[in-house]
């Protein structure tokens, strides 16, 4: 069993930055960030496999960076140049590996195959 705990959310103005963290109780090869805005479906934001292979949604490419500290068992999401449409509840997800074998399919699925999820951290971007 893997337990995940997100932190780092908050309120920021457009153009600002935030760094989200996700502390895991054990190391996993495949980790990801998802978000869900009110009234919208959950959206895959970014994922990372074995600390090196990454995927980003088109909407965040060039602005967000996913990274992983395997010593601390912590996943990060550095978010720069934030936009109002980035507002949402951000979730961390983990899998031992299979979910990252086809990152694009997994991250764009309406039912992403990650068995472990955190409780989420709220990000609010205002103009």
């Amino acid at each position: 069993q893997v337990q995940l705990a997100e932190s780092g959310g908050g309120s920021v103005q457009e153009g600002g930055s935030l760094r989200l963290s996700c502390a895991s109780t054990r190391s996993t090869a495949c980790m990801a960030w998802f978000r869900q805005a009110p009234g919208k479906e959950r959206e895959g934001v970014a994922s990372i496999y074995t600390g090196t292979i990454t995927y980003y949604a088109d909407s965040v490419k060039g602005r967000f960076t996913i990274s992983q500290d395997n010593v601390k068992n912590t996943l990060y999401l550095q978010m720069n140049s934030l936009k109002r449409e980035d507002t949402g509840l951000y979730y961390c997800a983990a899998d031992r590996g299979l979910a990252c074998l086809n990152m694009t399919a997994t991250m764009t699925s309406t039912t992403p195959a990650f068995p472990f999820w955190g409780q989420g951290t709220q990000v609010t971007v205002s103009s």
Side-chain angles (χ1 to χ4, degrees):
Q1 190 74 8
V2 177
Q3 294 181 329
L4 305 171
E6 303 94 337
S7 61
S11 296
V12 64
Q13 289 192 322
E14 278 191 305
S17 298
L18 282 173
R19 188 176 82 154
L20 305 184
S21 299
C22 172
S24 175
T25 53
R26 60 184 299 173
S27 176
T28 53
C30 177
M31 299 192 76
W33 289 98
F34 290 81
R35 67 186 180 189
Q36 188 164 20
K40 294 187 176 181
E41 290 188 349
R42 182 172 50 190
E43 173 190 20
V45 176
S47 59
I48 188 166
Y49 182 47
T50 62
T52 56
I53 301 169
T54 58
Y55 163 94
Y56 294 95
D58 288 343
S59 59
V60 306
K61 279 181 182 176
R63 301 187 298 121
F64 290 11
T65 303
I66 190 171
S67 62
Q68 192 173 18
D69 184 330
N70 290 323
V71 174
K72 297 181 179 179
N73 288 340
T74 301
L75 179 72
Y76 301 101
L77 185 68
Q78 178 65 44
M79 306 186 295
N80 298 328
S81 301
L82 282 161
K83 304 175 181 180
R84 289 183 61 186
E85 51 263 42
D86 295 319
T87 294
L89 188 60
Y90 282 69
Y91 297 92
C92 171
D95 179 58
R96 293 184 176 88
L98 290 179
C100 279
L101 294 184
N102 187 333
M103 281 185 167
T104 300
T106 298
M107 297 301 288
T108 57
S109 171
T110 56
T111 55
F114 284 89
F116 308 112
W117 292 82
Q119 295 299 307
T121 185
Q122 178 67 37
V123 171
T124 303
V125 184
S126 59
S127 57

